[in-house]
């Protein structure tokens, strides 16, 4: 099973934001144990780096990206993905790129806390709690 994590999920994990951290840690553990195949969108990486660097420092941001690249595969952002994103009907272009990259790579689930940002998604969108209750034992 292939799951793509939205930016807010990754930030919740590395910044240990409550009340989300506990559930998201279980998802990261499932990826680490290869119970699920974890993906991140290529366009998310610079945003994650920027926000972690802003909250902490560049070294921490670099370390976070390195850890993510060891653990997750990355869906590409190509011309095809960008055209799909423009035609997706999403209000938020960042979300539309994440969705389109997942859709074109055959991802099974997008995990996010912002389901409303993915209303027209053809990929099943779940919150961490929904994902854990339905998928992970």
């Amino acid at each position: 099973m292939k799951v793509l994590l939205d930016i807010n999920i990754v930030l919740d994990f590395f910044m240990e934001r409550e009340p989300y951290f506990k559930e998201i840690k279980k998802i990261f553990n499932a990826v680490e144990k290869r119970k699920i195949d974890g993906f991140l969108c290529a366009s998310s990486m610079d945003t994650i780096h920027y926000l972690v660097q802003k909250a902490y420092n560049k070294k921490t941001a670099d370390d976070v990206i390195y850890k993510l690249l060891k653990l997750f595969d990355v869906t590409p952002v190509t011309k095809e993905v960008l055209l799909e994103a423009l035609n997706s009907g999403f209000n938020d272009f960042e979300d539309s790129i994440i969705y389109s990259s997942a859709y074109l790579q055959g991802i099974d689930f997008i995990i996010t806390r912002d389901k409303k940002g993915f209303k027209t998604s053809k990929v099943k969108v779940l919150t961490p709690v929904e994902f854990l209750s339905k998928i992970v034992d």
Side-chain angles (χ1 to χ4, degrees), residues 91-110:
N91 289 329
D92 183 286
F93 191 56
E94 181 178 59
D95 288 344
S96 69
I97 292 171
I98 291 169
Y99 154 73
S100 297
S101 185
Y103 174 67
L104 292 172
Q105 289 295 307
I107 299 295
D108 300 305
F109 300 98
I110 296 172

Side-chain angles (χ1 to χ4, degrees), residues 15 18 25 41 47 57 85-86 92 102 108 114 118 121-122 133:
M15 295 179 173
E18 295 297 342
K25 185 176 181 181
C41 181
T47 303
N57 56 55
L86 287 170
D92 183 286
D108 300 305
D114 178 28
F118 294 88
S121 176
K122 297 175 190 171
S133 69

Side-chain angles (χ1 to χ4, degrees), residues 3-14:
V3 301
L4 185 140
L5 303 187
D6 193 7
I7 293 169
N8 56 46
I9 301 300
V10 175
L11 293 175
D12 288 345
F13 178 77
F14 282 103

Side-chain angles (χ1 to χ4, degrees), residues 10-86:
V10 175
L11 293 175
D12 288 345
F13 178 77
F14 282 103
M15 295 179 173
E16 298 185 20
R17 296 194 289 209
E18 295 297 342
Y20 316 109
F21 179 72
K22 182 179 169 185
E23 284 81 17
I24 294 168
K25 185 176 181 181
K26 291 177 185 176
I27 295 169
F28 270 72
N29 287 339
V31 172
E32 187 174 29
K33 293 176 182 176
R34 302 291 183 220
K35 291 182 178 179
I36 57 176
D37 297 323
F39 289 82
L40 299 170
C41 181
S43 65
S44 300
M45 304 306 280
D46 61 325
T47 303
I48 292 166
H49 189 280
Y50 171 78
L51 293 172
V52 172
Q53 181 174 333
K54 189 173 177 182
Y56 300 101
N57 56 55
K58 183 179 182 322
K59 182 182 180 332
T60 300
D62 289 348
D63 290 344
V64 164
I65 297 300
Y66 180 74
K67 289 173 184 173
L68 289 171
L69 291 173
K70 286 184 71 175
L71 189 58
F72 291 87
D73 286 319
V74 178
T75 60
V77 176
T78 62
K79 183 177 181 177
E80 181 183 18
V81 168
L82 295 172
L83 288 170
E84 176 71 27
L86 287 170

